[in-house]
Amino acid sequence: MKRLLALTALVTGLLPFIASPGMAEGQLKVYHWFEYIPQELVDKFEAETGIDVTIDTYDSNEAMLASLKAGKLGQYDVAVPGDYMVEIMRGEGLLDSYKPDEMPNFKNIAPEWLDVPFDPGRQHSIPYQWGSTAFAVNRNVYKGDISSLAIIFNPPEELKGKINVLDSQGEVLALGSLYLGIPQCSQDREQLKALNDMLLAAKANWASFGSDTAEDVLVSGDAAAGMIYNGFSAKARAEGANVEYAFPKEGYVVWMDNMVLLKDAPNRANALKFMNFLLDPKNAAAVTNYAAYNSGVTGVDPFLSDAVRNSPENNPPAGQKGEFIEACDQDTQKLYDAIWTNLKK
Amino acid sequence: MAAPVNSQSSGNQTYGELVNRLLLPTWLVIGCLLLIPVLLMTVYSFLTKEFRGGIEWNFTLAAYEQFFITRGLFGDEPPQIEWTYITIFWRSVWQAALATLLCLVIGFPTAWFIATRPARIRPVWLFLITIPYWVNLLIRTVSLRFILRDNGPLNEAMMALGVISDPLPILNTDLAVQIGLFYSYLPFMVLPIYAAVERFDFALSEAAADLYANRWQTLTQVVIPVVRPGIVAGCILVFIPALGAFLAPDLLGGAKNFMVGSLIDEQFRGSQGNWPFGAAVSVILMTLVLIALLVQARNASRGQA
Amino acid sequence: MKGVRHYPGFLAATIACLLILYVPLMVIAVYSFNGSTSITKWSGFSLRWYADVFTGPEAERFGLATWNSLSIAIIAATVSTMIATAAALAMIRGGSFRGRQATYALINLPLMVPEIVVAVATLIFFTTIGLTTGYMTILLAHVTFCIPFAYLPIAARLTGIEPTYEQAARDLYATRGQAFRLVLLPLLGPGLVSGWLLAFIISLDDFIITNFVKGAGMETLPTAIFGSVKQGIKPNIMAISTLMLGVSILFVSLSYLVNRRGRTAA
């Protein structure tokens, strides 16, 4: 019996080596967030070009950076970091660059997203999706005014103890800074002390920190208000929660995910083909309809589904400005790291 | 019939000469695949952190200093003891210890019960205990979340039975974390104890009964000393992983406080990107656990016979 | 008199144990039939998620991931159990030899090191020595951290077995190998099974280490699931989990029937 088991195990172990992928026009190795691109679109690309696409996933910008630094650089062709992470990767020399004439669809990039602070002139990246991060409130529990970040940081009675915040240093500290009206990468002692004290006081009213569960807690009622990405808020609404997404007057966080060309990409030409493919308005619309955020490509509008085009989460009121999260320099970052550790200790 | 249970007495040298060959695979596998990387990490703890993750080859004690000494938020106050990280350690030790206790209290009777069933049925019980673990831990923890919620099935059942009138807030508390840890590691307590109990010679207990010991005396004075290696193994297999766990604390406890596990994770996969500090915390954790293990091993070999 | 096999409250503890273990699983199974994409609000019975698992866009991916997870777990559990048995023999039946304490520490090393540290350190190590990451690297890493989990039940069991049995066999002119195979091994049985089971479930569930040391394009079930959680947990994950549960129950029932057939004296 034991021998049989061992034999089975041996055969089972050899099988992965027997199966081999078919290689026609080569391969493409994508490092991506899970379920951020519809499989049908990938299939379409594979059918059009004959390239074999594999997608590996990560669960946060920082985790992606960590694994690239620990040794995965050179295994992937493209990745999809957020705005501040593009800048960080640029500074660390993890990105390869391209010239606009290598991508015929380069002209489709929307002008307002062409010259971004984290990649001026778009030499390393293309826009993928953008959205905002603020908060949503369950209208069954609280019917008052929700136009201020005070809902999170100095909540009214009905919401105390029922608030979830994102478990992410960048977002929480950025929104906190916006609430207090202080700059994001400040080194001013008074301002930092104020931020530290305000967060500690606010924490007493928070039920939990959670990024994955941000949408779940609103639907299930564990939280009546919470920091959330606009797309998650739309999903919560679709699942029946009576939540309203807020665009606070103090400001909110705007983020953009971008597809970047990685240094030492094993299949650089195929990578450029893929990026070009995603700049086609029909394909960009397919991504947008799937992910329910906004695209950075012109001409997508006719192809968008009504639900996505008209969702309140994707249409901020005029005059409300969103801010990108800033990546601070080393000394400043140390101070913010200390504030976060202090908050969570 | 007092059979020596200790392994150290002579007559237990059956494999004496084979020791080197028997241990070769272990040394090869763990030595190459783990020891070397861990030594590498230890070296890392003495290096300088590279901004946003990684290391620079400059030797320094900065990481350990960050752990033990604080100079205020801006780094310019006189040095004092840093209690932050010690508190985090203490909290994790407490959580792990309580979880181990909980596992022991429920796991020991369960293991005993299974081991005293007819031999044919025992594998069925064993598998019953381990089948749930074929389902991914994250999914099971999420499911536990669902059950423990304020308006979840547990509270509703308790209210329907009249035990409580208002929902008991269990989620996002330490109790939920305990339940979660217990749930994560239960079979690690049951299986080793089962293996040890199954070997127990029930004639010993009948002898004790003949000497007018009641069942509980038999348990504490005859049974437990004999199955102690199993109990100790179970406790080790629960306590140590629980110490570094962060799935249950985060998902069920609300992630409001760092545990050792989440603290280290933040250094490597979070915004703080401080690998030397993460390595230093790990070294401190490993040292503490190693000391505890060696003390226990020495006690075991000295106390028994 | 009932004797020491029956303690009051022990049955209750076992029932409580099983209840706690299975109630969350029942919830998972129930919600895998949920009509909507929510996992907290029930909206009607539907088999759509099971259809999605087998025919949906992610089907191939999850199928391959499951295959990888199961095959790695079986191999890793088997190999680590063998290594652990050898180690247990040496530690417990080898008398006191030089380096005994060090070996004890080494065997427990995978337990003591936090997973994230193992993950990052192992990847850096593999990259430094130029080992291409892929199936084999996952397997190697899994065998390594399964060893202490297999070792501890086996050692606990071995400690309770007197050497007299093997000595008796040797006195009757059995070789050491025969004494091992025919006397000690059967006695070790439950310990081996416990060790194998522990190693198996540890390997099946591992996420952090696997995520770091796997090659591009490799997925195991936990890495696939964890990634999907970031976009919100959908009932298709529940369906996969329920299927895994079904498979394991099937596997167990089969092995029980096979064992019953071939069993001699209890």
Side-chain angles (χ1 to χ4, degrees), chain A residues 79-129:
Chain A
V80 187
D83 40 279
Y84 66 94
M85 188 47 74
V86 175
E87 180 160 347
I88 292 174
M89 289 169 83
R90 209 160 48 99
E92 303 253 345
L94 296 171
L95 302 180
D96 193 1
S97 57
Y98 64 90
K99 298 205 201 20
D101 52 16
E102 292 184 87
M103 258 194 255
N105 284 333
F106 185 83
K107 58 187 185 333
N108 292 343
I109 300 182
E112 65 266 30
W113 297 115
L114 190 58
D115 217 10
V116 281
F118 49 87
D119 187 13
R122 291 284 181 187
Q123 297 180 328
H124 309 280
S125 64
I126 61 164
Y128 189 71
Q129 290 277 279

Side-chain angles (χ1 to χ4, degrees), chain A residues 219-269:
Chain A
V219 172
S220 67
D222 289 335
M227 274 187 205
I228 198 170
Y229 310 107
N230 63 330
F232 271 26
S233 180
K235 282 197 194 152
R237 254 190 327 112
E239 288 183 18
N242 185 13
V243 288
E244 186 180 327
Y245 185 71
F247 291 95
K249 56 185 193 299
E250 298 93 345
Y252 53 93
V253 169
V254 140
W255 52 265
M256 167 166 262
D257 286 333
N258 313 269
M259 183 163 285
V260 294
L261 187 63
L262 289 169
K263 183 150 124 39
D264 297 337
N267 307 291
R268 187 174 181 278

